[in-house]
Amino acid sequence: MPTEALLARFLDDLAPLRPLAVWAHGSLGGGDYQEGRSDLDLIAVLPGPLTPAALVRLIALHRRLRAEPLAGKLHCSYLTPGTAADPARSHPTWAHDGVRRRPVTPVTRSELHAFGRVLHGAPPAMYLPPVPDRELRDFVAADQRDFWRPTVDKERLWTRDVWVDLGLLTFARATVTLRDGRLITKRQALAELPALGAPGEVVEDVTRRRYGEQGPGPSPDRRARLTRSYLGPAIDALVAGYR
């Protein structure tokens, strides 16, 4: 399986840096992984400190992986024991063929505690404190309000599969988190969308594309129009109802 081969190669190449832990979250951790479609979302804890020389070694590691199938979908944030617990801290992260700094969000931290997959070393609880329920809910509501709601108004984006899929699935997942205080997978989010009033033909289109089913879907322009018409008011109502 290409995924397991890539993970094995990654762990082998990372070994000289003496990782204390490597975890998978997202689809790979939650059991909803679709090979060739899903990202490989990883967190590694290194002894540290992450000096410029250490970052150069990490960049070289990822560049060596480029020839491996699915390597472009492998993203990894690098933490140290001294920095892991701070939710506001940004960490070096390899993603989209380059290094940037990103925080490990409350959603990711909660996923790691709930269903993180340990690929090497210690479990997440060793380095990451539990996420308070209010912190998780506040983050999810803010993400819908401050990122996704303005994004709905960017009409040019919504003819692309990725925005339709993530917009609808993230909204459904946010709704369940704010309503029930729990995290769900993308597949579970798809099952929630009809009851939340999402347009049926768009939900069917997302399902077909994500899970390999056959059948025609709406045109990109129609799908974009239906999705934006639904998501704008739906996000407004979700955020307005959150206290």
Side-chain angles (χ1 to χ4, degrees), residues 105-187:
T105 71
V107 169
T108 296
R109 290 169 179 264
S110 297
E111 286 182 355
L112 286 166
H113 280 284
F115 49 73
R117 176 179 167 185
V118 177
L119 302 176
H120 170 80
M126 181 69 70
Y127 297 107
L128 301 178
V131 179
D133 181 69
R134 185 70 187 192
E135 181 181 335
L136 175 62
R137 291 172 185 260
D138 285 351
F139 176 84
V140 166
D143 184 56
Q144 289 289 300
R145 180 190 66 233
D146 300 337
F147 178 77
W148 283 105
R149 186 59 184 89
T151 299
V152 171
D153 294 331
K154 298 176 182 178
E155 183 176 356
R156 60 183 176 78
L157 298 176
W158 293 89
T159 56
R160 297 168 55 190
D161 293 350
V162 63
W163 289 101
V164 173
D165 292 7
L166 284 180
L168 289 170
L169 296 175
T170 303
F171 169 74
R173 298 174 84 181
T175 298
V176 171
T177 298
L178 294 181
R179 184 186 69 202
D180 303 334
R182 60 189 177 93
L183 299 172
I184 61 172
T185 67
K186 291 176 181 177
R187 186 184 284 274

Side-chain angles (χ1 to χ4, degrees), residues 20-25 42-46 77-89 91 102-118 122-132 135:
L20 303 173
V22 182
W23 312 311
H25 60 99
L42 308 180
I43 303 284
V45 181
L46 300 180
S77 292
Y78 292 95
L79 287 58
T80 67
T83 64
D86 183 358
R89 183 74 171 254
H91 307 275
R102 292 178 177 174
V104 180
T105 71
V107 169
T108 296
R109 290 169 179 264
S110 297
E111 286 182 355
L112 286 166
H113 280 284
F115 49 73
R117 176 179 167 185
V118 177
M126 181 69 70
Y127 297 107
L128 301 178
V131 179
E135 181 181 335

Side-chain angles (χ1 to χ4, degrees), residues 164-228:
V164 173
D165 292 7
L166 284 180
L168 289 170
L169 296 175
T170 303
F171 169 74
R173 298 174 84 181
T175 298
V176 171
T177 298
L178 294 181
R179 184 186 69 202
D180 303 334
R182 60 189 177 93
L183 299 172
I184 61 172
T185 67
K186 291 176 181 177
R187 186 184 284 274
Q188 291 170 325
L190 270 174
E192 291 281 340
L193 281 167
L196 296 176
E201 63 184 287
V202 179
V203 175
E204 291 170 5
D205 179 62
V206 175
T207 303
R208 280 193 295 267
R209 287 185 289 97
R210 289 191 66 82
Y211 298 106
E213 300 176 12
Q214 301 298 315
S219 70
D221 286 342
R222 174 173 173 78
R223 187 183 64 181
R225 185 167 61 253
L226 289 170
T227 302
R228 294 177 63 241

